[in-house]
Amino acid sequence: MMRLGLIIVVTIVAAALLAPWLLPWDPSFQDLPNRLQGPTWAHWFGLDELGRDILARVLLGARVSLLVGTIVVGVSSVAGMVIGAVSGYYGGRIDQVIGRVMDVLMAFPGMLLAIALVAVLGPSLTNVVLALALIGWVGYARLVRGQVLRAREFEYVVAARALGASTARLLIRHVMPTALPPVMVQATLGMAGAMLSEAALSFLGLGVQPPTPSWGTMINGGRVHLLDAPHLTIFPGLCLAVVVLGFNFLGDGLRDAVDPKK
Amino acid sequence: MSSLRRYADSGTVSDTLLSVDGLTTVFDVAPRPVVAVNDVSFEIRKGETLGLVGESGSGKSVTAFSIIGLLQSPGRIAGGRVLFQGRDLTQLPEPEMRKVRGAGIGFVFQEPMAALNPVMRVGAHIAEALIVHGLASRAEARERAIDLLRAVKITDPGKRVDDYPHQLSGGMRQRVMMAVALACKPQLLIADEPTTALDVTVQAQVLDLLRDMKAQFELSLLLITHDLGVIAETADRVAVMYAGRIVEQGTVRQVFREPAHPYTRGLLASIPGDTAGSRLRAIDGTVPNMASLPAGCSFAPRCAHRMAVCETSFPSQTVVAHDHSVRCYLNGGQP
């Protein structure tokens, strides 16, 4: 399963990176006479409501999706690791304050909070990333806090302290390496979550604005033609499903791989 | 205070490397705080080995951790002073304290496997000590590490420096721990049960090495153990701890020949004798719960010489011979 996940992820990432050279058609060229045309040899995924090539737009949409996923996971995991490490290592009042903030953020359904944030800040790709990172760090912070709580009692951490090592050195050299494997698993699964959330926000019109192609906006655009031209929704939807599945497979596989009990 | 005065006549003050005076360490736990170390005073002179002996939970390790400021919450030092090279370590700000740890006072732990980071090579452990204290660059550190491994008598140090802890035997790991602790040439080495986790044959080798290192690095040593045999072999002076207090201290010769406290006598009597088949003697009763110590002398419930006064207050310290003091009413202690 992990191998399948890896193949899917690598394929999609490669396709997204190489998209400018792979594009079969100009993604903004409108072949209006043939709009809503189904899949043909010339247009594998068919044409959309404005006669644009869906394959080309799906490929460009993958870039948006992966970009959002990568930035969201990058920002929230780094922020989460720093906050979680500080919270777990120092304990006491700092831990209490951070813990309450996390409780508040966890109490909201994440999607609702993201929608509210984007609604306030205004719909744009930057704001989507901001909103998703703002709710995303909590998961990493809780994970890392737990690991750090455990690791700071390790005798080799105490021994390093007895050598005169600074707190920063202890955290980076001795504590964080034990916390990293679960963070990697979480980050992989987080990619799937972030891409799904971006699609959802774009579907609602809160994310990427047309004409920039995004899977969410494409699915939304095909909504009205669901009965007469289902390929408008099926292809971007399928891509999203496959990528999310791929990242989930990969995450599950990683989790098993780093599980010392296996 | 009395301990300071007591030793004043046996050596000049400048001979004293570490002076612990009235150290009291409290753990703030529910329902009421536990006093793990209670009014503990002792001194270590330059080049001297002090053995701190006591049962598990008597406060030996907490004393050591208090000295180098490694107590974790909820533990805290509630009173007393720890004078090291004339500075009170309990008052030192953390950045200054970091300089003392490792460079002034080295620490050897009980479990060498647990005290070495499993994902760091042997050389990296030693290098870390040197780099933390700015004593070597990354490039020099490797050479220094090899030298130190040679000093602690590890064969083929050039190769072992790249090993991971799990590739070493228990004795070798403890030698590595010692190399790490000695890397920055501390004046004082605290060894917390350094041989407890080792095979008996390896124990002797590690103790030998400890003595060698002491001479070679001009170390003073605080040796924490529950093994009186280790004390007899290695220490110059001994302090006996019971339930957070030092009940007797003096030269090893004096304390072993003429133990003044009933607990010390009990400990010495429970060492297996030479005669095979003779019954092992044990001290009756069990170690008191630190959370609910008896009102008077904490050893009173197990003591064969218990008197009425023993159950009301803890006796003061009395000097029974030159450099030999005890806290017991049998020896003239006052309430």
Side-chain angles (χ1 to χ4, degrees):
Chain A
M1 279 308 189
M2 184 171 163
R3 189 164 301 171
L4 180 62
L6 197 64
I7 292 170
I8 294 172
V9 169
V10 167
T11 310
I12 294 286
V13 169
L17 286 176
L18 300 174
W21 296 278
L22 291 177
L23 289 180
W25 299 89
D26 177 355
S28 51
F29 174 73
Q30 304 185 353
D31 185 5
L32 281 170
N34 290 317
R35 58 194 287 271
L36 300 178
Q37 189 191 68
T40 60
W41 279 115
H43 303 282
W44 291 0
F45 287 5
L47 298 175
D48 70 1
E49 72 274 22
L50 292 174
R52 295 171 299 192
D53 183 60
I54 292 180
L55 177 58
R57 295 182 62 76
V58 163
L59 275 173
L60 277 190
R63 289 167 78 91
V64 173
S65 267
L66 285 167
L67 188 70
V68 170
T70 310
I71 297 176
V72 167
V73 166
V75 170
S76 49
S77 64
V78 169
M81 280 196 284
V82 172
I83 295 169
V86 166
S87 180
Y89 189 82
Y90 286 102
R93 187 160 297 172
I94 301 173
D95 188 32
Q96 295 272 324
V97 171
I98 293 174
R100 291 299 83 74
V101 171
M102 291 201 289
D103 284 347
V104 169
L105 284 172
M106 295 285 282
F108 282 102
M111 202 59 211
L112 204 63
L113 200 62
I115 291 172
L117 276 168
V118 176
V120 171
L121 298 169
S124 79
L125 196 58
T126 320
N127 289 343
V128 165
V129 169
L130 202 68
L132 293 180
L134 213 57
I135 53 173
W137 67 270
V138 179
Y140 298 94
R142 285 169 60 99
L143 191 70
V144 170
R145 177 181 172 274
Q147 296 284 330
V148 169
L149 272 181
R150 199 170 56 92
R152 74 167 187 180
E153 303 296 334
F154 288 166
E155 204 161 288
Y156 63 78
V157 176
V158 181
R161 220 149 76 83
L163 265 184
S166 64
T167 305
R169 189 181 183 89
L170 283 181
L171 283 174
I172 293 167
R173 297 266 300 180
H174 298 280
V175 174
M176 287 315 281
T178 66
L180 227 43
V183 168
M184 274 164 52
V185 173
Q186 172 102 346
T188 312
L189 298 174
M191 274 297 281
M195 290 168 81
L196 211 52
S197 299
E198 181 275 325
L201 288 172
S202 294
F203 177 85
L204 294 173
L206 295 169
V208 180
Q209 296 304 305
T212 310
S214 142
W215 295 344
T217 43
M218 288 170 76
I219 294 169
N220 188 29
R223 197 165 41 94
V224 288
H225 301 287
L226 207 53
L227 294 178
D228 52 315
H231 64 274
L232 262 64
T233 18
I234 286 175
F235 289 111
L238 204 60
C239 281
L240 183 62
V242 169
V243 173
V244 166
L245 203 63
F247 273 107
N248 276 319
F249 280 161
L250 191 62
D252 284 346
L254 275 178
R255 181 161 53 205
D256 289 346
V258 299
D259 184 356
K261 289 193 200 84
K262 290 238 166 179
Chain B
M1 280 304 181
S2 54
S3 64
L4 286 178
R5 233 174 285 125
R6 193 158 40 80
Y7 293 129
D9 57 350
S10 60
T12 54
V13 177
S14 61
D15 272 353
T16 306
L17 181 66
L18 177 80
S19 157
V20 175
D21 186 20
L23 180 69
T24 300
T25 301
V26 173
F27 282 79
D28 291 311
V29 289
R32 67 185 77 84
V34 169
V35 183
V37 173
N38 197 343
D39 191 20
V40 160
S41 301
F42 60 81
E43 289 189 353
I44 300 178
R45 292 173 218 143
K46 285 184 182 145
E48 181 185 63
T49 299
L50 174 71
L52 191 57
V53 69
E55 289 166 81
S56 306
S58 59
K60 306 179 303 263
S61 296
V62 178
T63 303
F65 275 68
S66 303
I67 291 171
I68 52 169
L70 281 187
L71 283 174
Q72 296 267 23
S73 174
R76 67 184 167 88
I77 294 176
R81 295 189 302 167
V82 177
L83 290 173
F84 178 72
Q85 296 178 318
R87 289 196 295 177
D88 185 357
L89 299 188
T90 62
Q91 302 300 322
L92 229 47
E94 181 62 20
E96 286 297 308
M97 195 63 210
R98 273 209 293 273
K99 290 181 196 159
V100 174
R101 290 187 205 122
I105 304 178
F107 208 106
V108 173
F109 287 80
Q110 175 174 347
E111 276 282 354
M113 188 64 209
L116 294 169
N117 189 333
V119 298
M120 266 169 70
R121 293 172 199 276
V122 165
H125 281 96
I126 301 174
E128 175 159 56
L130 294 166
I131 291 165
V132 160
H133 292 286
L135 295 175
S137 67
R138 205 160 280 279
E140 297 158 357
R142 189 186 152 85
E143 286 310 307
R144 294 279 292 278
I146 295 173
D147 288 345
L148 278 156
L149 290 178
R150 194 174 293 123
V152 295
K153 302 194 174 71
I154 282 184
T155 46
D156 207 356
K159 215 164 154 187
R160 289 297 184 188
V161 73
D162 292 321
D163 275 358
Y164 285 98
H166 75 266
Q167 293 171 287
L168 307 176
S169 68
M172 285 213 290
R173 282 180 210 136
Q174 197 55 296
R175 283 165 198 271
V176 168
M177 272 303 292
M178 248 185 258
V180 173
L182 296 175
C184 299
K185 299 203 164 58
Q187 291 83 50
L188 174 69
L189 186 69
I190 299 179
D192 188 359
E193 306 260 9
T195 58
T196 306
L198 304 174
D199 290 345
V200 181
T201 48
V202 182
Q203 283 186 2
Q205 291 170 16
V206 168
L207 286 179
D208 278 346
L209 180 67
L210 212 51
R211 270 192 299 263
D212 277 5
M213 292 297 108
K214 212 188 111 184
Q216 196 179 328
F217 287 82
E218 293 168 343
L219 283 172
S220 300
L221 186 61
L222 174 59
L223 181 64
I224 296 172
T225 179
H226 61 256
D227 187 340
L228 286 169
V230 170
I231 300 278
E233 266 183 70
T234 318
D236 303 308
R237 288 176 43 254
V238 58
V240 181
M241 260 190 118
Y242 186 80
R245 295 186 196 250
I246 291 181
V247 292
E248 178 163 6
Q249 62 176 316
T251 60
V252 168
R253 173 184 282 257
Q254 184 75 25
V255 171
F256 275 53
R257 279 198 185 159
E258 293 169 48
H261 197 283
Y263 177 63
T264 315
R265 276 184 241 152
L267 282 182
L268 287 166
S270 56
I271 296 175
D274 293 333
T275 11
S278 60
R279 283 188 71 84
L280 206 58
R281 288 219 268 164
I283 304 173
D284 290 335
T286 52
V287 187
N289 179 354
M290 293 298 285
S292 54
L293 286 178
C297 171
S298 33
F299 188 63
R302 302 173 73 183
C303 185
H305 309 282
R306 181 171 60 241
M307 301 178 284
V309 63
C310 298
E311 283 162 18
T312 55
S313 68
F314 205 88
S316 65
Q317 180 164 279
T318 48
V319 178
V320 288
H322 177 67
D323 205 354
H324 184 185
S325 62
V326 66
R327 299 185 79 154
C328 178
Y329 290 113
L330 291 174
N331 294 280
Q334 297 300 313

